Amino acid sequence: MPKLSLWRSVIHLEPAEWDILIVSTCLKLLLFPAYRSTDFEVHRNWLSITHSLPISKWYYDTTSEWTLDYPPFFAYFEKLMSIPAYFIDPRIVDLNNLNYAAWSVVAYQRTTVILTELVLGAAVLRFIRGATDPTTQRIISASLFLHPGFLIIDHIHFQYNGFMFGILLWSILMARNDNKLASGFLFAVLLNFKHIYMYLAPAYFIYLLRSFCLSPSGALLPARFIALANAVILVFLVSLGPFLLMGQLPQLLSRLFPFTRGLNHAYWAPNAWALVTAADRVLLKCKSALGSLAVNSSGVASTSRGLVGDTVFAVIPNVKPIHTFIITIAFQAIYLVKLWRTPTYKSFLTALTLCGYTSFMFGWHVHEKAILLVLVPLSLLAAENHAYFRTFLLASVAGIFSLFPLLFTAPETLIKVIYSVTWAIFIFIPLHRRVYEFPRSLPFVIIDGLEKLYLAGFILLQAFVTFFPVATRQSSASLEFLPLMLTSVYCSVGLVWAFLRLSVLYLRG
């Protein structure tokens, strides 16, 4: 009966929930002809690999440059989706039919994103059903299901983040409901869908070990420890077992972890390294004024041409993968100590967010799409108090704006701007009314004013990136990537500040 009740609570929608589902689905259907990135062909090729080849060749195939580089559960997921794809249009799963873009494959793949995103929809509904403040939780749940990040990345650019973040939210929900074994099991499943979630693993490890496997006095609870270990091991055996038996684990790992990319992506993710890279550019420009400044000639054209490759600084010492790893681990360790001492659900959720945030701030070759690792769990903290809400506001505005360059074609510009502004109005205003506190001292008044000024600056930045390329099209090719650089740096300022804000809130709380 409890399971039946849970199922009914998920499928029974209130009128407003039906409205959100229907309107959002209609919008996503209308976006079928919109711009799509190379990720669309990536996933079409993965359909063909898993359908046309035996499992022993999945991680060896090089027919296309878009080789399979996600963990096995996602490969099995593609295999399942390839079955109906074959009956709809056999050419979709033809391994040699590269760059196939018929309406059949467009409609099919876009539809699979909408349907699999219902995992996210079910999770946010369940958050509402068990909330102590259902009205506020409805706003937060709506913000997640309608998040501009998912619309931009999944339904236009093309990926399956909604589906995978749905699994993450179910795992977090189980932690909130004190079903920690299920939480750990679901997170293990998620890791075997996409390994980027390993950035969140330290928070899960500490939280489940401290709150589930140990008693309040610190004594090990063997039955719980064995149950959790068996659940996680079972997931990894189901996922990796076939490749382990075939002796293909090294090949699989080489696909999952290609360490040949540079510090920055072509478009700098708005993190700490974007600010360091920008500082290097400024120092390079000022080299004549600084006199004896040593300049690395190979770094002069490295970081401002929008190319993927090694990032070589011209003035600042180069950053290596080991440096990013040490910094990331050092910051995460600070939050994990706090989590160990206070293993509550709120502490876990904040530490989880900060682990994702730290990896985004200091990781190696971070992609701007990874900002969802921060924005999704942070959304669940938005209504804790005004300080958390303001952090959520700053991170959301900067993070969503940082995704705008993914859609660089003219028809999508109006869509991404209008949709994001509409989302912000319907989410930020009602949440602000629920948690607002007037600044209680002069320093906080100043900070409040500066944050508002920063947020207003996005209007000017959007105007600049819209009209500057037109104004300079015939004049200076050297300034071609200036709008991207300014977007990255400006968004970095807000995201770094929000990171520091959240860190202080957590450590002082």
Side-chain angles (χ1 to χ4, degrees), residues 199-204 206-207 331-340 342-359 373 377-378 381 388 499 502-503 506-507:
Y199 296 135
L200 308 180
Y204 268 94
I206 295 297
Y207 177 64
F331 269 91
Q332 286 189 347
I334 297 171
Y335 311 128
L336 296 177
V337 169
K338 171 68 181 279
L339 178 59
W340 180 268
T342 56
T344 62
Y345 167 70
K346 180 186 172 183
S347 179
F348 162 65
L349 184 55
T350 313
L352 181 75
T353 305
L354 283 165
C355 280
Y357 217 148
T358 301
S359 65
L373 279 174
L378 182 58
L381 294 164
Y388 274 95
F499 169 70
L502 187 62
S503 298
Y506 180 54
L507 296 175

Side-chain angles (χ1 to χ4, degrees), residues 169-189:
L169 286 172
W170 273 107
S171 176
I172 295 173
L173 176 67
M174 292 299 102
R176 189 198 73 172
N177 293 349
D178 203 31
N179 190 347
K180 292 163 188 171
L181 181 61
S183 178
F185 174 82
L186 286 170
F187 184 69
V189 169

Side-chain angles (χ1 to χ4, degrees), residues 43-53 92-95:
H43 288 279
R44 190 216 60 80
N45 186 59
W46 292 358
L47 289 174
S48 66
I49 288 174
T50 55
H51 184 271
S52 305
L53 298 176
I92 295 175
V93 293
D94 183 343
L95 188 60

Side-chain angles (χ1 to χ4, degrees), residues 292-347:
S292 60
L293 191 67
V295 175
N296 182 349
S297 59
S298 62
V300 173
S302 171
T303 58
S304 61
R305 295 291 180 265
L307 304 175
V308 176
D310 289 337
T311 299
V312 180
F313 292 142
V315 179
I316 296 174
N318 286 316
V319 176
K320 301 183 182 301
I322 188 62
H323 300 148
T324 66
F325 178 77
I326 292 172
I327 295 171
T328 300
I329 294 299
F331 269 91
Q332 286 189 347
I334 297 171
Y335 311 128
L336 296 177
V337 169
K338 171 68 181 279
L339 178 59
W340 180 268
R341 292 174 177 171
T342 56
T344 62
Y345 167 70
K346 180 186 172 183
S347 179

Side-chain angles (χ1 to χ4, degrees), residues 71-124:
F73 274 1
F74 201 91
Y76 304 153
F77 171 69
E78 294 278 7
K79 173 67 175 180
L80 286 174
M81 291 197 298
S82 74
I83 297 171
Y86 174 78
F87 290 102
I88 291 171
D89 181 355
R91 292 172 295 177
I92 295 175
V93 293
D94 183 343
L95 188 60
N96 297 303
N97 191 22
L98 303 181
N99 299 309
Y100 185 52
W103 181 246
S104 58
V105 65
V106 171
Y108 178 72
Q109 291 196 195
R110 296 281 198 198
T111 301
T112 60
V113 174
I114 294 175
L115 292 178
T116 56
E117 195 179 49
L118 293 177
V119 174
L120 171 67
V124 296

